[in-house]
Amino acid sequence: MSSFKVATMAEMAAEGKSPDVLFWVGCAGSFDDRAKRVTKSLAKILHSIGLSFAILGSEESCTGDPAKRAGNEFLFQMMAFQNIQVLNGYGVKRIVTACPHCFNTLRNEYPELGGHFEVVHHSQLLQQLLNEGKLRIEGGAFNGKRITFHDPCYLGRANEEYEAPRALMQKLDAEMLEMKRSRAKGLCCGAGGAQMFKEAEPGDREVNHARAEEALELKPDVIAVGCPFCNTMMTDGVKHYEKENQTSVLDLAELIAQANDL
């Protein structure tokens, strides 16, 4: 696909336009090299089907999720109010994000602070576009591959979305495998609740090693994820067991972008 420029809300506003959806990139999607590939994949998918979207760019700040989970409510509210002011200033109605942590915070915790938006996880938006016939998924690249999906805590248990990711993966013509602990009984990757940013606490093993082991028992070609934190933790877990040559960890957006040769 030829390169294209993603517009910012400021650029769109200057032209008197507003996009169908604001793509909330998030800290990981903006700064983490691995997560940037997911950001690009999602942008390519949305661009390929002609969906009008924009980003905040330098006006986007952290949602405050890590601060809130770590117990700093004051810092969280400061960050949230700043973001809400920017979003309301542009009249944003609909937000999509590839990060369940951003999704959960924007959807469930911003309303009481004055931020009322329709917030969807990228799996939900892509499933909707699939159902509407706007998105087609070519399954060839993953035909016959063994794929298992790791449910992100803030998408699954916190917001009860289990079907959208699986509906997308069904279109890949792959062999779908479920871990013993999946959906509502899924095991955390070990990074939630701001654990991503601190050293491990005493215990007999790392949580992500335990979760990666559960996934690797299925001998998958791909461990699919829908969260940048899960991506990091599962990738590290696969490396711990020296299985990175047999099993790759890919976000849902990357799976679809690769399947559609974007």
Side-chain angles (χ1 to χ4, degrees), residues 10 24 32 41 55 63 99 107 115 151 158 182 209 221 255:
W24 185 276
D32 179 80
S41 293
I55 59 173
T63 60
C99 175
R107 180 178 188 241
D151 289 282
S182 65
H209 293 173
D221 296 297
L255 288 169

Side-chain angles (χ1 to χ4, degrees), residues 57-253:
S58 59
E59 289 188 277
E60 182 186 297
S61 171
C62 176
T63 60
D65 165 78
K68 187 175 181 73
R69 305 300 158 233
N72 195 333
E73 181 67 22
F74 175 69
L75 178 59
F76 161 70
Q77 292 199 12
M78 275 177 49
M79 299 170 102
F81 280 130
Q82 180 185 335
N83 285 323
I84 290 166
Q85 197 171 11
V86 171
L87 291 165
N88 285 343
Y90 284 119
V92 169
K93 298 283 188 289
R94 194 169 196 221
I95 300 172
V96 62
T97 180
C99 175
H101 298 258
C102 297
F103 165 67
N104 179 69
T105 304
L106 293 166
R107 180 178 188 241
N108 298 322
E109 292 165 347
Y110 273 32
E112 65 184 1
L113 301 174
H116 299 278
F117 317 104
E118 180 196 349
V119 187
V120 292
H121 184 253
H122 69 321
S123 64
Q124 296 173 319
L125 177 64
L126 294 172
Q127 186 202 17
Q128 182 191 349
L129 294 168
L130 189 70
N131 292 346
E132 292 171 354
K134 293 173 183 172
L135 172 67
R136 291 185 60 189
I137 300 176
E138 308 296 335
F142 296 97
N143 195 350
K145 298 283 189 189
R146 294 167 63 85
I147 301 180
T148 188
F149 181 64
H150 164 75
D151 289 282
C153 296
Y154 277 110
L155 182 64
R157 284 194 297 273
N159 288 282
E160 299 185 336
E161 179 60 81
Y162 304 108
E163 302 311 322
R166 288 170 173 82
L168 294 170
M169 291 188 294
Q170 291 293 346
K171 298 292 182 183
L172 295 172
D173 296 337
E175 183 184 350
M176 287 295 302
L177 310 160
E178 290 284 3
M179 286 181 257
K180 289 193 190 83
R181 289 194 275 188
S182 65
R183 298 180 183 256
K185 292 188 170 70
L187 176 67
C188 176
C189 72
Q195 298 296 315
M196 184 81 176
F197 307 105
K198 58 185 278 296
E199 293 301 316
E201 293 172 24
D204 57 10
R205 69 191 304 205
E206 298 283 359
V207 177
N208 65 320
H209 293 173
R211 186 55 166 166
E213 185 178 64
E214 290 183 5
L216 291 169
E217 280 174 6
L218 300 170
K219 296 185 169 48
D221 296 297
V222 178
I223 299 172
V225 294
C227 169
F229 290 3
C230 296
N231 199 327
T232 297
M233 301 300 270
M234 296 305 282
T235 299
D236 287 351
V238 170
K239 284 179 182 170
H240 173 75
Y241 291 108
E242 299 181 352
K243 296 289 186 185
E244 60 265 42
N245 292 329
Q246 293 104 304
T247 302
S248 49
V249 179
L250 293 170
D251 185 88
L252 296 163

Side-chain angles (χ1 to χ4, degrees), residues 33-49:
D33 286 341
R34 178 66 188 85
K36 284 179 194 174
R37 283 158 35 200
V38 178
T39 301
K40 289 175 181 173
S41 293
L42 182 56
K44 284 176 184 175
I45 295 167
L46 300 182
H47 177 75
S48 73
I49 61 173

